[in-house]
Amino acid sequence: MSDLLHGVVAAVTGASSGIGEATARALAEQGATLALLARREDRLRALADELGGATSVHVVDLADPDAAARVVGEVVDHHGRLDVLVNNAGYGSLAPARGSEFADWRATTAINLDGLLAVTHAALEPLVAAATGPRGVADLVNVSSDAGRRVLPVGAVYAATKHAVGAFSESLRQELASAHVRVGVVEPGITRTELPDKGEGDTPDLSALGELGVLEAADIADAVVYMVTRPARTAVNEILVRPVEQD
Ligand SMILES: NC(=O)c1ccc[n+]([C@@H]2O[C@H](COP(=O)([O-])OP(=O)(O)OC[C@H]3O[C@@H](n4cnc5c(N)ncnc54)[C@H](OP(=O)(O)O)[C@@H]3O)[C@@H](O)[C@H]2O)c1
C-alpha cells in the first residue's frame, strides 16, 4: 500500500474480471479511489467490498453509447472529479473471418471501439479539468493489444479495433499534451483472463506457450500503475508487454 495516488479518482472499465479487475486492485493499492464499470454487478460489488473506502460501482453495457456517456457523468457526479480513466473493457475472437458470424464482428467493434470512444468523449472535459488540480496531470490509459501492433491471419476484426485504438490514442495524445492530459496505450500479449473463453471459434492454447507460460493480469496492471504514477513532467505513452516465449 502506498499513497502515490492519494486523492486520485480512477475509473476502470471492464473491472469485473481479468486485467481490469487486477488494475483496479493495483490502483487502489497506490491509494486511488476507484469507480468500477462493467455489466456483472455481483463481480463489481465483490471487488468494491474488497477495496472498501469510497469505491463506487457502475453497472453498464458500454456497447450502448448513450449508456457509456451517461455512466461517465454518473462517476464524475459521484466523486466530484475524474483523474484517471482506464479504458480496458473489451471482447474479441481469434477465429478465422471465414465462417464467423457478422454479429460477432459487430459485438467486437461495439465494445472495443465504439464503447471506448463513447466513454472517452464523455471523459475529455472532466480529465482536462482534473489536470488543473494539484496533481498537475490527468491520465487516459487505453488497453490495446499486441494485436494493435501487428497483424496475424486470425482475429482480423479484433486487430482492426486495436489498431484503431492505437491511432485514436496517438492523435489524442498530441492534442491533449498542452492540457496536461497524458494519453498512454498498454498492449498486452497473451494474458490469462476470461477473454480467451469468450470469443467465437478458435481460442489460443495457453498451455502451448513454453515452460514460463503466459502473462497474469497483474503483470498488465503493473504497467498501468507505472504509467499513472510517473512525475507530472513524464508521460509514458506506450507499453508493450509479452510473455517471454511469445513470438
Ligand atoms: N487476455 C489477453 O490475452 C489480452 C491480450 C491483449 C489485450 N487484451 C485486452 O485486455 C482488455 C481486458 O480483457 P481481459 O483479457 O481482462 O478479458 P476479460 O477477463 O474477459 O475482461 C473483459 C472485461 O470487459 C468487460 N466488458 C466486456 N464487454 C462489455 C460491455 N459491453 N460493457 C461493459 N463491460 C464490458 C467485462 O465485464 P462484463 O462482462 O461484466 O461486462 C470484463 O470485465 C481487453 O481490452 C482485451 O482486448 C487482452
Side-chain angles (χ1 to χ4, degrees):
M1 189 82 183
S2 91
D3 62 357
L4 273 176
L5 295 178
H6 178 73
V8 166
V9 173
V12 178
T13 72
S16 58
S17 65
I19 291 167
E21 180 180 353
T23 298
R25 211 172 258 130
L27 292 170
E29 274 166 19
Q30 302 298 327
T33 296
L34 268 297
L36 309 175
L37 283 66
R39 292 168 299 184
R40 284 171 293 175
E41 184 171 4
D42 53 335
R43 303 278 292 258
L44 295 181
R45 294 225 173 272
L47 181 59
D49 287 349
E50 177 193 322
L51 301 184
T55 307
S56 63
V57 163
H58 307 267
V59 179
V60 61
D61 182 352
L62 295 172
D64 171 350
D66 294 333
R70 251 194 329 269
V71 81
V72 174
E74 199 180 292
V75 169
V76 175
D77 285 349
H78 184 84
H79 292 283
R81 56 188 302 111
L82 178 61
D83 302 273
V84 174
L85 169 62
V86 183
N87 275 319
N88 160 80
Y91 165 78
S93 153
L94 295 181
R98 290 181 65 198
S100 63
E101 298 291 335
F102 188 63
D104 201 53
W105 294 13
R106 291 288 296 270
T108 304
T109 59
I111 180 64
N112 292 10
L113 190 53
D114 295 340
L116 179 144
L117 295 182
V119 170
T120 305
H121 184 264
L124 284 179
E125 293 315 317
L127 289 171
V128 168
T132 65
R135 187 167 168 253
V137 284
D139 287 283
L140 170 60
V141 180
N142 291 329
V143 178
S144 175
S145 170
D146 76 330
R149 299 262 304 219
R150 62 175 177 169
V151 171
L152 300 171
V154 288
V157 178
Y158 183 72
T161 61
K162 295 301 189 179
H163 275 71
V165 167
F168 173 66
S169 304
E170 173 55 17
S171 179
L172 260 194
R173 181 191 74 74
Q174 295 176 34
E175 180 181 335
L176 298 179
S178 60
H180 302 172
V181 177
R182 305 185 291 201
V183 180
V185 182
V186 174
E187 297 153 329
I190 301 174
T191 308
R192 191 186 318 279
T193 67
E194 295 178 9
L195 188 72
D197 303 329
K198 288 181 182 154
E200 178 195 78
D202 296 346
T203 58
D205 177 3
L206 298 186
S207 65
L209 210 70
E211 62 187 81
L212 295 183
V214 299
L215 301 173
E216 299 296 335
D219 298 327
I220 305 306
D222 277 350
V224 177
V225 167
Y226 181 77
M227 265 185 178
V228 305
T229 54
R230 293 312 86 204
R233 64 176 177 276
T234 307
V236 178
N237 302 137
E238 189 174 10
I239 303 182
L240 169 62
V241 189
R242 290 193 182 109
V244 168
E245 294 166 278
Q246 185 177 342
D247 59 16

